[in-house]
């Protein structure tokens, strides 16, 4: 038993724990590495947010106010890349590092040194990517989907650095995923079968397999780009016998599972928070597991719904339309289970629960607009308009981001031993909730009216919706700076956390497996002696 208790103190701490910078550079402790990931992702979130505010400031009214179209394109490209690869994904990996060993009863991650390496690759990758903005010819200006031949034949010279950065990010993701799979499959506590694992562990196990499957596809795409740029090949250049549409197929075969990589761990987080504050077991644990697995499988066979306008055969359009709609079934199962968990529960509405409920409501809205986008004939109208922007931001901001924030509030007492200020947390929630809806809801209307994405100027009829959207963006952005204040204040001067921080959720520990053991919250269960001994 003593080996487990002292598991955090690794061999490299034999001469006493390392202090200061050395501790963070060489750490193999899953908690330290989780903390590094979370702070790094928050820094990237603020950087990506500033780029988004440049975009929204420019779009506040028609005409060119602040930036030139070329710089505007660099802002849209880098905002997307930084938010997807630098903010959302590392945040989920940070949560995985913190929580998975605790939830499966492991002393640490399976491969601690590789864990350290997979984090420290990231600051260099993103440092390089952001530095392209200051290079001659400017940074990547071809959108976060970097369609060739725009990103090969017509790209600025800095595209080579961008390609290298993408390779590094992919290497980091693959190493992190191998580590998570090895930990979950080999280091579970005795008696914890797969179907007794917490939902967060399940969602991450499936996510890790997705990452290992699709990251090499992205690596292949950017390597082909590199060859087109520097070695005279014509993979994506029609003039040399290549095919620009092939790039889209390769990219979206990576890109569609990628969007599920960014939402599956969120499903796991919400499946922990809602039962805790509803004082009930998670409704339909088994169906949740199968739903996550179904979503992961289906995510591989729907990629061309991003490409309905490229001139696909009718049979292809029908297949991708129906398979996309099929994803709504397991997603609907999950939403039903969350609502059923809340149904007749003894709910309280602390900050994590508020974010979790907002997640369920707003993510479902994003799902409905996704169902609209799945319909091939009308996708011709929606494609590349602000309707698509509204759809995927409803999935990713109130979806992925809200779940990450909910997780931080929920596990914060576990991580720090301090309790955050509940009033400030609720202020942060309401500012974020109002900000996100004021920002993205009007974009549905400007998109349906025909406003295209990724343009710095627009006709007068879109002015009102854009103005509202920009005001919302600044509310949302400033509320995340407030979040930083709440976290730092809580770490430095928060009240000590109680043994059971969520008072009333008696017996529900943070790292509890779902489904929870039996309890009625008024009477302890009757346990016979032979059961204890058995």
């Amino acid at each position: 038993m003593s080996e487990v208790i002292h598991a955090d103190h690794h061999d490299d701490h034999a001469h006493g724990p390392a202090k200061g910078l050395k501790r963070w550079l060489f750490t193999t402790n899953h908690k330290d590495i989780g903390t590094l990931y979370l702070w790094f992702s928050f820094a990237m979130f603020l950087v990506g947010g500033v780029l988004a505010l440049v975009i929204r400031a420019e779009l506040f009214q028609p005409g060119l106010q602040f930036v030139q179209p070329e710089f505007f394109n660099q802002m849209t490209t880098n905002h997307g890349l930084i938010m997807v690869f630098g903010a959302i994904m590392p945040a989920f990996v940070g949560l995985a590092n913190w929580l998975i060993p605790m939830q499966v009863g492991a002393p640490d991650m399976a491969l601690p040194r590789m864990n350290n390496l997979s984090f420290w690759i990231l600051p260099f990758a993103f440092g390089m990517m952001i530095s392209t903005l200051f290079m001659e010819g400017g940074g990547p200006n071809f959108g976060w989907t970097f369609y060739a031949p725009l990103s090969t034949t017509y790209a600025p010279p800095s595209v080579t650095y961008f390609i290298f950065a993408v390779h590094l990010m992919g290497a980091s993701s693959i190493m992190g995923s191998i580590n998570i799979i090895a930990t979950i499959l080999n280091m579970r506590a005795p008696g914890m079968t797969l179907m007794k694992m917490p939902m967060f562990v399940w969602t991450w196990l499936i996510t890790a397999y997705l990452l290992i499957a699709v990251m090499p596809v992205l690596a292949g795409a950017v390597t082909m780009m590199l060859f087109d740029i520097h070695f005279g090949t014509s993979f994506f250049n029609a003039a040399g016998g290549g095919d620009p549409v092939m790039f889209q197929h390769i990219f979206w075969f990576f890109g569609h599972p990628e969007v599920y990589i960014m939402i599956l761990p969120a499903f796991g987080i919400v499946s922990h928070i809602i039962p805790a504050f509803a004082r009930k077991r998670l409704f339909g644990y088994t169906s949740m597991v199968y739903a996550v697995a179904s979503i992961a499988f289906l995510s591989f066979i729907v990629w061309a719904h991003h490409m309905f306008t490229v001139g696909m055969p009718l049979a292809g359009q029908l297949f991708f339309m129906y398979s996309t709609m099929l994803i709504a079934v397991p997603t609907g199962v999950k939403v039903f289970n969350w609502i059923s968990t809340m149904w007749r529960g003894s709910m309280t509405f602390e900050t994590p629960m508020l974010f979790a409920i907002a997640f369920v409501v707003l993510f479902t809205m994003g799902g409905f607009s996704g169902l609209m986008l799945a319909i091939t004939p009308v996708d011709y109208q929606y494609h590349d308009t602000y309707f698509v922007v509204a759809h995927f931001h409803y999935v990713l901001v109130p979806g992925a981001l809200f779940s990450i924030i909910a997780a931080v509030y929920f596990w914060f007492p576990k991580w720090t031993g301090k309790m955050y200020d509940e009033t400030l947390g609720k202020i942060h929630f309401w500012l974020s909730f109002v900000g996100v809806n004021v920002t993205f809801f009007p974009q549905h209307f400007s998109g349906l009216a025909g406003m295209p994405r990724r343009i710095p100027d627009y006709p007068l009829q879109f002015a009102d919706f854009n103005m509202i959207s920009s005001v919302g963006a600044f509310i949302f952005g400033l509320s995340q700076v407030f979040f930083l204040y709440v976290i730092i204040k809580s770490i430095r001067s928060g009240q000590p956390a109680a043994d059971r921080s969520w008072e009333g959720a008696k017996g529900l520990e943070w790292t509890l497996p779902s489904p929870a053991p039996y309890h009625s919250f008024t009477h302890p269960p009757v346990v016979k002696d032979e059961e204890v001994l058995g």
Side-chain angles (χ1 to χ4, degrees):
M1 191 65 192
S2 61
E3 293 88 2
V4 178
I5 292 169
H6 296 292
D8 280 341
H9 303 288
H10 289 288
D11 301 339
D12 43 342
H13 292 174
H15 307 293
K19 293 281 192 289
L21 186 62
K22 197 171 176 188
R23 169 190 165 185
W24 295 104
L25 278 175
F26 300 112
T27 180
T28 50
N29 182 321
H30 71 101
K31 299 174 182 177
D32 284 354
I33 294 170
T35 304
L36 284 168
Y37 267 111
L38 288 168
W39 279 112
F40 171 78
S41 70
F42 193 72
M44 287 294 103
F45 172 54
L46 293 180
V47 171
V50 168
L51 304 188
L53 294 182
V54 172
I55 295 167
R56 287 310 331 167
E58 178 56 60
L59 293 172
F60 183 74
Q61 58 185 41
L64 292 176
Q65 282 79 237
F66 299 105
V67 296
Q68 291 307 305
E70 183 69 9
F71 188 72
F72 184 88
N73 291 344
Q74 292 174 35
M75 291 291 100
T76 52
T77 304
N78 281 278
H79 164 69
L81 290 166
I82 287 168
M83 287 305 201
V84 169
F85 296 109
I88 301 293
M89 287 173 67
F92 279 136
V93 179
L95 292 169
N97 263 294
W98 252 107
L99 300 170
I100 286 174
M102 292 198 232
Q103 292 187 332
V104 300
D108 202 299
M109 296 296 276
L111 306 157
R113 294 203 183 280
M114 189 166 87
N115 204 11
N116 175 290
L117 178 63
S118 62
F119 170 75
W120 280 110
I121 287 175
L122 287 179
F124 294 96
F126 283 92
M128 186 156 58
M129 197 160 83
I130 293 166
S131 71
T132 57
L133 290 171
F134 306 101
M135 293 178 186
E136 194 175 347
N141 58 358
F142 32 66
W144 83 274
T145 51
F146 47 98
Y147 281 1
L150 186 61
S151 57
T152 52
T153 312
Y154 306 103
S158 64
V159 70
T160 309
Y161 293 92
F162 155 79
I163 289 171
F164 188 37
V166 170
H167 271 303
L168 289 177
M169 295 183 285
S172 169
S173 286
I174 288 170
M175 285 196 289
S177 301
I178 290 169
N179 212 342
I180 286 166
I181 291 171
T183 306
I184 295 171
L185 295 187
N186 298 321
M187 298 179 72
R188 297 195 306 285
M192 183 181 276
T193 60
L194 287 177
M195 292 310 280
K196 286 182 180 168
M197 294 197 311
M199 270 312 300
F200 181 71
V201 179
W202 254 118
T203 53
W204 244 117
L205 179 65
I206 291 167
T207 302
Y209 277 111
L210 284 181
L211 274 165
I212 289 175
V214 300
M215 276 302 170
V217 178
L218 178 66
V222 293
T223 307
M224 291 156 92
M225 282 171 60
L226 191 73
F227 273 69
D228 273 13
I229 293 164
H230 292 293
F231 300 109
T233 57
S234 294
F235 289 113
F236 307 127
N237 185 356
D243 185 0
V245 175
M246 181 174 73
F247 178 88
Q248 293 190 34
H249 278 292
I250 297 168
F251 178 85
W252 286 116
F253 190 77
F254 147 80
H256 199 80
E258 166 64 29
V259 298
Y260 286 97
I261 285 162
M262 289 190 284
I263 205 67
L264 289 183
F267 292 163
I269 289 164
V270 170
S271 302
H272 280 267
I273 293 175
I274 288 177
F277 293 101
R279 311 318 186 246
K280 277 176 66 186
R281 297 170 61 156
L282 178 66
F283 180 89
Y285 170 85
T286 312
S287 62
M288 281 291 219
V289 173
Y290 283 110
V292 176
S294 314
I295 289 169
F297 170 73
L298 290 168
S299 72
F300 280 100
I301 56 168
V302 297
W303 77 90
H305 66 208
H306 298 269
M307 303 167 54
F308 281 145
T309 56
V310 301
M312 210 184 296
L314 183 62
Q317 290 186 330
L318 284 171
F319 170 80
F320 286 108
M321 176 166 83
Y322 289 133
S323 59
T324 302
M325 289 181 167
L326 204 55
I327 285 198
V329 177
T331 311
V333 168
K334 303 182 81 60
V335 173
F336 176 81
N337 286 3
W338 290 322
I339 293 168
S340 302
T341 305
M342 290 188 271
W343 177 250
R344 299 188 68 183
S346 311
M347 285 205 290
T348 52
F349 298 98
E350 287 85 350
T351 310
M353 185 61 160
L354 290 174
F355 274 105
I357 293 171
F359 168 94
V360 175
V361 174
L362 299 179
F363 175 78
T364 305
M365 279 177 50
F368 281 130
S369 57
L371 213 48
M372 292 169 67
L373 288 161
I375 303 170
T376 309
V378 287
D379 185 75
Y380 281 102
Q381 179 182 348
Y382 306 140
H383 190 81
D384 263 341
T385 69
Y386 262 81
F387 188 83
V388 179
V389 178
H391 155 69
F392 72 73
H393 280 88
Y394 259 92
V395 174
L396 283 179
V397 184
L401 185 64
F402 272 23
S403 74
I404 291 164
I405 295 170
V408 170
Y409 280 119
F410 184 59
W411 279 293
F412 185 84
K414 184 75 175 165
W415 295 340
T416 62
K418 304 278 182 69
M419 195 64 193
Y420 66 89
D421 185 317
E422 189 62 59
T423 310
L424 295 181
K426 287 196 162 111
I427 292 169
H428 171 226
F429 167 75
W430 286 110
L431 283 172
S432 299
F433 182 80
V434 169
V436 83
N437 284 295
V438 171
T439 305
F440 297 113
F441 201 75
Q443 294 179 5
H444 291 103
F445 304 125
S446 43
L448 289 176
M451 180 171 166
R453 302 160 63 174
R454 297 181 184 170
I455 51 154
D457 192 12
Y458 53 87
L460 204 55
Q461 70 260 33
F462 303 123
D464 290 353
F465 284 138
N466 272 293
M467 189 165 79
I468 295 166
S469 208
S470 292
V471 170
F474 278 88
I475 294 171
F476 185 74
L478 292 171
S479 63
Q480 303 325 305
V481 179
F482 181 67
F483 178 43
L484 180 64
Y485 165 75
V486 175
I487 294 299
I488 292 174
K489 176 179 183 293
S490 306
I491 290 171
R492 295 178 68 165
S493 60
Q495 297 295 315
D499 286 344
R500 295 194 175 109
S501 279
W502 307 113
E503 194 47 54
K506 291 190 169 53
L508 275 182
E509 240 307 328
W510 291 278
T511 52
L512 188 77
S514 333
Y518 167 80
H519 19 137
S520 87
F521 292 106
T522 47
H523 306 292
V526 178
V527 181
K528 299 188 184 75
D529 289 343
E530 59 269 25
E531 285 181 22
V532 176
L533 296 170

